[in-house]
Amino acid sequence: MLYAALFYYINKTEKEAYQNAVELFESKINQLLVLESKPILTALNNDTNWDEFVNFIATRDKSWYEETISNELEIYGADYLGVYDQDKQFIMRTPTPVIKTLDFVPESAMAYLDNVRVGKFYLQIPEGVVEITGATIHPSDDPFKNKSEPSGYFFAVRLINADFIRNLENITSSKIKFLATNDSIPQQRHIVSSVYLLKDFQGKPIGKLLFERKFDVYFENTISILYAIIIVFILYLIISVFYTQKLIYRPLYLVRKALQKESKAAIAELKKSSGEFSYIGNLFEENNNQKQALIKAKIKAEEGDLLKASFLANLSHEIRTPMNAINGFTELILNTDIDKKEQIEYLNVIQNNGKNLVSIIDDLIEMSKIDSNQVSPNFSEINLESCIVEVYKTLKITIPKTKAIKFKLIKSSVPAEHNIITDEIKLKQVIINLLTNAIKYTDEGFVKFKYEIDEQQSLIHFTIEDTGTGIEEDHQQHVFDRFKRVENDKSIQVGGLGLGLSISKAYIEILGGTIRFESKMGKGSTFYFSIPLQYVKSEPIIVKPIKEKEGMKSANKTILIAEDDNINFLLFQKMMKDKDFEIIRAKNGQEAVDICISNSNIDLVLMDIKMPVLNGFEAVEQIKPIRPELPIIAQTAYSSSEDRIKIEKAGFDDYITKPLSRERLFEMIDKY
């Protein structure tokens, strides 16, 4: 602020000094010009109040003029003397060689003198701009030229040439430039200037004289000194800050960073500091090592607990879902009177869910073998192209006709010259797993399967690309984690423990391969994996959902079944087939909310907990404030005590667990 104030003060002082100098210079120039013109005006005034001059106008005595007036050319310091009569007609002149024009004073200029009697003005003549000082001629008894009419007119003319300007420069101690009326005047910092306009007898400017003089009051030295002071101050400030930062603030910052983030880099740098800070760095390092050991142990224990909890939750749900269908339809076969066609239908459901259950158990066993290092590749010689074509044809016929998918196989541009050595079973499992996932999560578009032999690097590159739902960016880091399935509407629909990709990745790593993927929500996913001419992957556990046509019966009581799984809903239908209930289905939580709000005839709701769009907890949270009297029973595959407490707190009136018991179901319906 001090330096800014000094700059402001110096700048203001400089401007004021310059302005004062300009005003003073203009005043002096005007005064000097007046003094310079005064002798001419005095001599002119004396000559034009002279009786003999009046007689000359009448007689036009040339000898008198030459003896008296012509000899005064040097007295006037003029380049031209001219006389005119009272009719404004030219009589006689006395010129110097610089002016050759005979008569150039216009009558209008003499009319101007009729008013002012004595005056000075400027004219443009062929020789240049001239200064004309003129006066009217009167008798000696009319000194003020106001008693009589003019007897004639007398003019003293000076040409504004180099001599004229040089004379003015000596008088005014300045440099003079003659400028045209439209010439601009540049402003210079160390030059003061004054402009004198050259006006004709009508007051119109015909040129101007620019007077310039050096402005000797300089402030550069003061500014330079001030700059030097500022530079020294800044250098001092930088040095002070540098050493303060280095010796105090930097070590304190490292201490804070070590305390807040336990930064190893901060601790290492702190150890290199001098004095006590180095000792503090050693203490931090010892303490950090102890903490890291404790943190690793804690993380390992927490990961074990989280993995166990995740495993149990997913295992409970995925096993109870097929078991619900198996037990339910088995009970229907045993305890109800059904025809042969329905019996076969129920047995097919039981068989398919049994296969799903076996697949889940197989995944668990395979994962357990991988964890215990009991999986090893079984190498054999195979024909790569035959193996891949076989997998392609097998999967192609399994694609549901309801899906508008183009399934493409793109073979390697460089075919294998010989059979390859690899584990054929596991390679097929890997390919089937990735292709099955691509088909599961793609409803329309294409699924591309490509392989390429890289002889230079001795690798086989595989690519599986789809236009499915894609994987959210936040979930991509957990794609290969065990039991960490991405939870969304599609994953809930297709089911599974989330072990397929984990097993595949484990197989690839066992054989020294690599796998990676790219995915974008709504655009699809692309998986890339390579094997060093030996590749192993596991066969996925394919869960094929059974789709049945929904039934609807009329009855006195209306029950809403919120169930996204077709088989479980079919089981409800078959269980209630002989009862007088009207069954309404909601395939997701949002549909259940909408039906309950819009249909006042709903008497009971059987609400599945795990559903797309809105889950059971979210749905009951929206229904209960609007219809608090409506009984809502939770049906869930989760059966832990924590889940039961959560269901009760959520606002459900009661709950039943999967697999469903027909007797328990009817007890619950009769109760509410």
Side-chain angles (χ1 to χ4, degrees), residues 311-327 353-354 356-362 364 483 485 495-497 543 568 610 637-638 658-660:
F311 166 73
L312 292 175
N314 283 281
L315 181 64
S316 174
H317 181 271
E318 296 300 333
I319 290 181
R320 283 176 179 272
T321 297
M323 283 300 298
N324 178 56
I326 293 170
N327 291 346
N353 280 275
N356 291 345
L357 188 58
V358 171
S359 297
I360 292 171
I361 295 172
D362 286 344
L364 292 172
F483 307 109
R485 187 182 63 179
L497 284 176
V543 181
N568 287 334
K610 195 170 185 180
Y638 298 121
K658 299 177 182 178
L660 294 175

Side-chain angles (χ1 to χ4, degrees), residues 21 51 71 87 95 110 138 149 161 181-182 232 234 275-276 388 412 450 506 522 588 591 602 626 641 665:
D51 292 334
N71 293 334
D87 295 327
M110 292 177 238
H138 295 267
E149 291 298 322
N161 54 11
T181 54
N182 56 351
V232 171
I234 293 174
E276 291 296 318
I388 291 174
S412 174
K450 177 183 178 181
N588 57 61
E591 284 187 15
I602 302 296
I626 299 173
S641 58
L665 175 62

Side-chain angles (χ1 to χ4, degrees), residues 471 475-481 484 486 498 501-502 517 527:
I471 305 170
H475 295 149
Q476 290 184 10
Q477 58 181 333
H478 301 301
V479 164
F480 296 111
D481 292 352
K484 288 186 178 180
V486 176
L501 290 176
S502 302
F517 73 97
F527 281 80

Side-chain angles (χ1 to χ4, degrees), residues 422-474:
T422 188
D423 189 326
E424 182 177 7
I425 294 175
K426 291 182 172 58
L427 177 59
K428 287 182 177 180
Q429 288 175 340
V430 168
I431 297 171
I432 291 172
N433 187 21
L434 294 177
L435 287 175
T436 303
N437 279 347
I439 294 169
K440 278 183 184 179
Y441 291 96
T442 304
D443 292 327
E444 60 181 12
F446 64 83
V447 174
K448 290 182 181 179
F449 174 34
K450 177 183 178 181
Y451 72 97
E452 188 71 34
I453 295 176
D454 186 350
E455 294 182 350
Q456 291 184 350
Q457 299 186 22
S458 298
L459 293 173
I460 306 174
H461 304 292
F462 295 87
T463 304
I464 290 89
E465 181 182 0
D466 64 69
T467 57
T469 56
I471 305 170
E472 294 181 6
E473 187 174 351
D474 295 341

Side-chain angles (χ1 to χ4, degrees), residues 40 92 98 140 182 236 266-267 357 388 424 433 466 491 550 589:
I40 297 176
M92 195 168 290
V98 297
S140 58
N182 56 351
Y236 171 76
I267 294 173
L357 188 58
I388 291 174
E424 182 177 7
N433 187 21
D466 64 69
S491 64
E550 300 177 15

Side-chain angles (χ1 to χ4, degrees), residues 185-314:
I185 302 172
Q187 186 172 2
Q188 303 178 61
R189 186 175 181 183
H190 299 300
I191 300 293
V192 292
S193 60
S194 177
V195 176
Y196 182 77
L197 291 176
L198 306 179
K199 298 180 181 180
D200 63 11
F201 54 86
Q202 294 178 338
K204 295 179 181 180
I206 61 171
K208 51 190 174 184
L209 294 177
L210 175 63
F211 295 83
E212 293 181 335
R213 180 185 292 174
K214 288 185 178 181
F215 178 55
D216 295 328
V217 180
Y218 295 103
F219 289 82
E220 278 81 357
N221 294 335
T222 306
I223 296 294
S224 300
I225 293 171
L226 189 58
Y227 275 128
I229 294 172
I230 293 174
I231 291 171
V232 171
F233 170 76
I234 293 174
L235 289 174
Y236 171 76
L237 187 64
I238 292 172
I239 294 171
S240 301
V241 170
F242 173 76
Y243 280 102
T244 304
Q245 175 78 8
K246 182 179 179 181
L247 300 177
I248 300 174
Y249 288 112
R250 180 63 181 175
L252 289 177
Y253 166 75
L254 295 174
V255 170
R256 178 170 62 84
K257 195 172 181 181
L259 287 171
Q260 288 180 340
K261 301 181 180 179
E262 299 180 356
S263 171
K264 291 183 179 180
I267 294 173
E269 187 176 348
L270 194 61
K271 288 174 62 181
K272 296 177 182 178
S273 302
S274 59
E276 291 296 318
F277 287 114
S278 177
Y279 178 69
I280 292 172
N282 291 325
L283 292 178
F284 271 127
E285 186 176 44
E286 294 176 5
N287 183 60
N288 192 46
N289 291 336
Q290 294 175 358
K291 281 186 177 181
Q292 291 297 324
L294 291 173
I295 289 171
K296 288 180 180 178
K298 181 183 177 183
I299 290 174
K300 189 173 181 180
E302 289 177 348
E303 284 180 350
D305 291 340
L306 290 173
L307 190 61
K308 180 180 178 181
S310 175
F311 166 73
L312 292 175
N314 283 281

